[in-house]
Amino acid sequence: MIFNDISKLQNIVKTNDIKKALKFIEPSKKLPLKSTRKRSVLMVSGHQVKHLNKIDELPADVIMLNLEDGVPKEKKEIARVMIAVFLSNIKDLNKEIVIRVNPLNEGGIEDIKFLERFNFNAFRIPKVNSIEEIDDVFMLTNKEIHASIETKEAFFSFKELHHPKLTTFYIGLYDLLNELNLSHSIISLNNPLIHKILSDFSLNSRYLNITPIGFVYQHYKDLEGFSKWCMLQKNLGIHGVGCITPTQCEIANKIFDEDLNFAKMIVERFEREGPFTIEDLGLYVDEPIYKNYKQLL
């Protein structure tokens, strides 16, 4: 936990007292930033003090501090300040921290300008339509830039979304279906259209050397269904998924995990001996196999 007692902060959020909130912001500290495996990305809304207070101990690879969907309009400003409060008071960053700002023309620019000075990994930009919007963000921050692929303009012009600071894509499946006038009822494990959307997202992201993160499964009590969606997305080349509960994170971490010890053995032995055979597994390790495990590491 970051604060032992959060009652004052909870009351500040309840009353929208910006002046009091600002007094809790400490001078920015430059803690070492972590780079994780991005198997699980947990959404934490900026106005939920109870959840913010636990971000240093949640079982997610990435904490997504959310200012967009899930934050009521009347709480947007206090949520922005609360994120600053918790980031400036955290004592140990043991995971990646990303801030999901509002759309750029709906407060996102102000979010970036206010939060840029604090210590975290990246800004996530929602509703991206063009590379020009990424350039606009680049002019405002030195942080990594992440982008949500949830508009039809972005989805059908992937190849244009290339920028040296752009490192991660998130598929906003529900918003994308809305844009395409498709019902959410088509979100089925066996629907080839959903497979194509996720496959195109994965392959285009990989083409640009950008990490693809899968969609948030909203039925948070359906853990069996969540597990199946994780397996499907992993098999389609997606790197990890968005989560809305710690339990989802634990499941995603297991499913998207890889045996790095085995990969390390393959790489080290190949670099020492060249091509070789693992008799017990019936596996012949040549250069393409070696390169794949090296990429994994």
Side-chain angles (χ1 to χ4, degrees), residues 18-280:
I18 302 296
K19 287 185 178 180
K20 278 188 179 180
L22 291 170
K23 293 178 181 179
F24 282 86
I25 297 177
E26 295 292 326
S28 183
K29 299 184 288 292
K30 288 295 179 184
L31 298 173
L33 295 175
K34 301 291 183 181
S35 180
T36 67
R37 293 159 73 177
K38 296 183 178 67
R39 300 164 299 178
S40 55
V41 179
L42 181 63
M43 306 297 293
V44 178
S45 294
H47 69 302
Q48 297 288 356
V49 171
K50 182 179 178 181
H51 298 157
L52 289 171
N53 201 42
K54 297 178 180 178
I55 61 175
D56 58 342
E57 57 187 34
L58 291 167
D61 283 350
V62 180
I63 299 294
M64 182 68 61
L65 300 177
N66 187 21
L67 288 169
E68 195 209 5
D69 294 345
V71 179
K73 287 185 178 180
E74 67 273 13
K75 296 296 180 184
K76 296 281 188 182
E77 188 175 3
I78 194 69
R80 179 195 298 161
V81 177
M82 278 294 120
I83 285 177
V85 168
F86 281 88
L87 286 180
S88 67
N89 281 277
I90 198 168
K91 296 178 176 62
D92 181 34
L93 281 176
N94 58 359
K95 49 185 60 67
E96 290 188 50
I97 304 289
V98 179
I99 298 178
R100 183 194 193 190
V101 300
N102 288 289
L104 297 181
N105 60 350
E106 298 176 22
I109 296 294
E110 290 75 13
D111 293 336
I112 294 169
K113 288 180 177 178
F114 181 78
L115 293 165
E116 157 67 15
R117 68 185 187 272
F118 297 100
N119 205 41
F120 58 95
N121 297 77
F123 282 113
R124 173 178 170 181
I125 313 304
K127 309 294 190 294
V128 169
N129 291 302
S130 67
I131 191 60
E132 285 77 19
E133 292 173 320
I134 302 299
D135 282 329
D136 290 343
V137 174
F138 174 67
M139 299 300 292
L140 298 173
T141 181
N142 290 318
K143 306 282 197 257
E144 283 183 24
I145 302 173
H146 297 184
S148 298
I149 305 302
E150 51 196 346
T151 69
K152 56 188 177 184
E153 288 80 10
F155 187 78
F156 291 105
S157 60
F158 255 103
K159 299 283 196 316
E160 298 173 15
L161 297 177
H162 182 67
H163 193 283
K165 279 287 188 177
L166 184 56
T167 65
T168 306
F169 283 145
Y170 306 84
I171 180 73
L173 184 61
Y174 297 96
D175 283 315
L176 180 60
L177 293 180
N178 289 344
E179 285 245 327
L180 296 172
N181 294 317
L182 290 169
S183 169
H184 293 178
S185 64
I186 72 168
I187 301 176
S188 166
L189 286 161
N190 299 314
N191 189 334
L193 178 57
I194 296 299
H195 291 193
K196 176 171 174 51
I197 290 171
L198 295 174
S199 298
D200 286 355
F201 169 70
S202 174
L203 290 173
N204 281 293
S205 299
R206 299 286 181 176
Y207 175 82
L208 295 172
N209 199 29
I210 290 175
T211 301
I213 303 296
F215 73 99
V216 176
Y217 185 62
Q218 303 281 18
H219 302 281
Y220 62 90
K221 291 186 178 181
D222 178 16
L223 299 181
E224 182 180 355
F226 176 75
S227 298
K228 290 178 179 178
W229 277 108
C230 285
M231 284 300 304
L232 173 66
Q233 292 182 87
K234 180 181 181 180
N235 289 335
L236 294 176
I238 289 173
H239 194 88
V241 293
C243 301
I244 50 179
T245 69
T247 303
Q248 284 188 338
C249 291
E250 292 168 355
I251 293 171
N253 289 344
K254 289 179 181 178
I255 291 175
F256 286 93
D257 204 10
E258 300 285 356
D259 186 351
L260 297 185
N261 289 327
F262 183 77
K264 185 178 180 183
M265 180 276 290
I266 293 287
V267 169
E268 290 179 349
R269 184 171 173 184
F270 185 91
E271 291 177 349
R272 186 173 63 249
E273 303 176 14
F276 64 93
T277 299
I278 302 177
E279 293 291 347
D280 292 346

